[in-house]
Each structure stands twice: as structure tokens, then as C-alpha cells.
Amino acid sequence: TIEIRAARGLVDRTDVVVARYVEHQESAVIVTDRLSTVVFERVPGAPNGVRWRTVHETWLPAGADRSAK
């Protein structure tokens, strides 16, 4: 399963949205977390009104802060 945790907006302008969240994944054999920062461009007619421009993911080691600060 995949869960999005600790999501927060960093920038919210008329042309761009930047957000950060922790992507938590669990399977029968492993649990992982990644801190993700995403940049969306607002595009009328796009799904949900935005287009993904870039995403950056950083693997979080066991015991790391997962608050998406």
C-alpha cells in the first residue's frame, strides 16, 4: 500500500504550486518512506487543473523525522 502523509503546501501562486509530503509504502517484505517535494504548473484543462513539472524524492532512513518540514 502507498500512503501520503504530512502533506503541506510550500508555495501557492496563480501559476505554480509547490508541496512537500512523505510517501509511505508498505509491502509484505518492506516498509519505506520518502520525503517528496513536487512542483505543479497550473494548466486549465489538465487533470485536476495542474501538470507535474518535477518531483524530488529523498529516501528517509529508519528513525528519521517524518514531519515533512
Side-chain angles (χ1 to χ4, degrees), residues 1 25-31:
T1 61
Q25 295 188 25
E26 290 187 31
S27 73
V29 295
I30 193 167
V31 175

Side-chain angles (χ1 to χ4, degrees), residues 15-60:
D15 58 338
V16 70
V17 176
V18 180
R20 182 172 292 152
Y21 57 89
V22 174
E23 182 179 305
H24 177 81
Q25 295 188 25
E26 290 187 31
S27 73
V29 295
I30 193 167
V31 175
T32 61
D33 287 306
R34 291 182 282 214
L35 180 62
S36 300
T37 304
V38 62
V39 178
F40 294 109
E41 175 186 15
R42 292 188 193 272
V43 177
N48 299 310
V50 296
R51 178 183 303 146
W52 285 77
R53 298 306 296 171
T54 191
V55 64
H56 176 82
E57 297 179 329
T58 301
W59 289 90
L60 296 174

